[in-house]
C-alpha cells in the first residue's frame, strides 16, 4: 500500500526560549534541555499499517511505547483547527501492558473519518519542561487518502530517547484483534513517503 502523507513539524516552546535569551546563555541551555528536540524525536518513531478487517469508514490507531519511557501521546483531530480531540497515551504511568512483552505498553482508539473535512491530523505529543506536552510532529491524512486507511490498523511505535529498541523488528508487537500479542510476523512501512517538515523556527 502506498501512503502519501504531509508531515508538519512544530516547535511549541520556541517562544519560551526566546523570552529568556537576555538572562544568559547558561540558563537558555538548561531550558533547552527540557524542551523536545523535534528532529531527534522524529527518529525515535516507527510506523506500521496493515489491513485487518477493522470496521470501514475509519481505522484503528495504536500507540506503543516502552513501559519505562516517559508518557507519550497521539492526539487525533478530526476537526482540524478545533479544540476537541481524542487521544491515545502510553508510557511509564499510563497504557496497557502488552501481552507477551512486559517491556511494552500501548493504547488504542477508533478513528472515524469525517465526511465534511478535507483532512484529519495525528499530533505526536511528548512532555517537556514541567510535564507540558508539545507537538513533535503533525501527520495530516487528506481526504483523498482516506481509502488507504479504511478498515486498517495504523501503529505508531515510539521508543525511549536513543534506546534503539524498535530498531529491531523482533521487538515489535503484532496486533491481533484482542488482546495484543507479541509477534515478529510484521512488515514495517516507510516513514510516510518522503514527508516534509516545515522549519522549526
Amino acid at each position: 500500500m502506498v501512503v502519501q502523507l504531509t508531515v508538519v513539524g512544530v516547535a511549541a516552546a520556541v517562544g519560551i526560549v526566546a523570552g529568556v535569551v537576555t538572562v544568559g546563555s547558561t540558563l537558555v541551555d538548561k531550558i533547552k534541555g527540557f524542551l523536545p528536540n523535534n528532529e531527534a524525536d522524529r527518529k525515535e518513531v516507527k510506523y506500521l499499517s496493515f489491513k485487518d478487517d477493522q470496521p470501514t469508514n475509519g481505522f484503528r490507531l495504536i500507540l506503543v511505547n516502552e513501559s519505562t519511557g516517559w508518557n507519550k501521546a497521539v492526539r487525533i483531530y478530526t476537526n482540524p483547527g478545533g479544540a476537541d480531540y481524542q487521544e491515545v497515551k502510553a508510557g511509564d504511568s499510563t497504557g496497557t501492558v502488552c501481552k507477551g512483552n512486559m517491556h511494552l505498553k500501548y493504547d488504542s482508539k477508533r478513528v472515524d473519518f469525517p465526511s465534511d473535512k478535507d483532512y484529519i491530523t495525528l499530533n505526536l505529543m511528548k512532555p517537556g519542561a514541567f510535564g507540558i506536552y508539545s507537538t513533535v510532529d503533525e501527520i495530516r491524512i487528506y481526504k483523498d487518502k482516506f481509502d488507504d486507511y479504511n478498515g486498517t490498523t495504523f501503529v505508531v511505535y515510539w521508543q525511549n530517547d536513543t534506546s534503539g529498541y524498535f530498531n529491531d523488528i523482533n521487538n515489535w508487537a503484532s496486533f491481533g484483534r484482542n488482546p495484543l500479542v507479541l509477534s515478529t510476523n510484521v512488515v514495517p512501512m516507510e516513514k510516510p513517503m518522503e514527508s516534509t517538515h516545515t522549519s522549526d523556527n
Side-chain angles (χ1 to χ4, degrees):
M1 174 175 68
V2 176
V3 180
Q4 293 179 344
L5 304 179
T6 300
V7 181
V8 182
V10 180
V14 170
I16 297 174
V17 175
V20 296
V21 167
T22 57
V23 176
S25 61
T26 301
L27 180 57
V28 170
D29 289 341
K30 286 182 178 178
I31 290 175
K32 284 182 179 179
F34 286 101
L35 300 176
N37 179 338
N38 289 359
E39 196 57 43
D41 288 330
R42 290 181 192 119
K43 294 177 182 176
E44 307 302 334
V45 182
K46 314 290 182 188
Y47 302 94
L48 176 69
S49 181
F50 56 91
K51 290 274 189 185
D52 63 339
D53 299 321
Q54 294 295 315
T56 58
N57 298 315
F59 63 96
R60 177 174 60 161
L61 173 68
I62 302 176
L63 170 65
V64 184
N65 189 3
E66 296 179 69
S67 61
T68 55
W70 285 18
N71 292 334
K72 299 179 182 77
V74 179
R75 291 185 181 169
I76 307 152
Y77 292 89
T78 54
N79 181 21
D84 295 334
Y85 61 87
Q86 298 182 76
E87 184 175 67
V88 289
K89 186 184 277 188
D92 56 1
S93 67
T94 189
T96 302
V97 174
C98 182
K99 183 178 180 180
N101 186 348
M102 301 291 285
H103 185 67
L104 300 181
K105 293 177 84 173
Y106 73 96
D107 191 18
S108 67
K109 280 267 190 300
R110 163 77 181 177
V111 180
D112 291 311
F113 295 134
S115 59
D116 58 344
K117 303 296 177 186
D118 290 333
Y119 63 91
I120 63 174
T121 64
L122 307 177
N123 285 36
L124 278 63
M125 311 288 292
K126 182 178 179 181
F130 311 110
I132 298 171
Y133 279 77
S134 63
T135 300
V136 170
D137 249 346
E138 177 185 281
I139 299 174
R140 292 186 179 185
I141 305 176
Y142 284 89
K143 193 169 188 174
D144 64 350
K145 297 300 176 186
F146 284 177
D147 282 347
D148 291 339
Y149 289 89
N150 198 21
T152 69
T153 289
F154 183 63
V155 189
V156 177
Y157 296 92
W158 198 339
Q159 62 198 10
N160 291 346
D161 295 346
T162 70
S163 78
Y165 189 78
F166 291 130
N167 294 342
D168 182 353
I169 198 170
N170 292 315
N171 293 329
W172 290 33
S174 177
F175 304 93
R177 298 293 273 182
N178 277 309
L180 250 62
V181 293
L182 185 67
S183 172
T184 59
N185 187 25
V186 294
V187 179
M189 66 181 287
E190 295 287 326
K191 172 81 173 177
M193 290 305 297
E194 297 299 321
S195 303
T196 56
H197 301 280
T198 59
S199 170
D200 289 339
N201 297 324

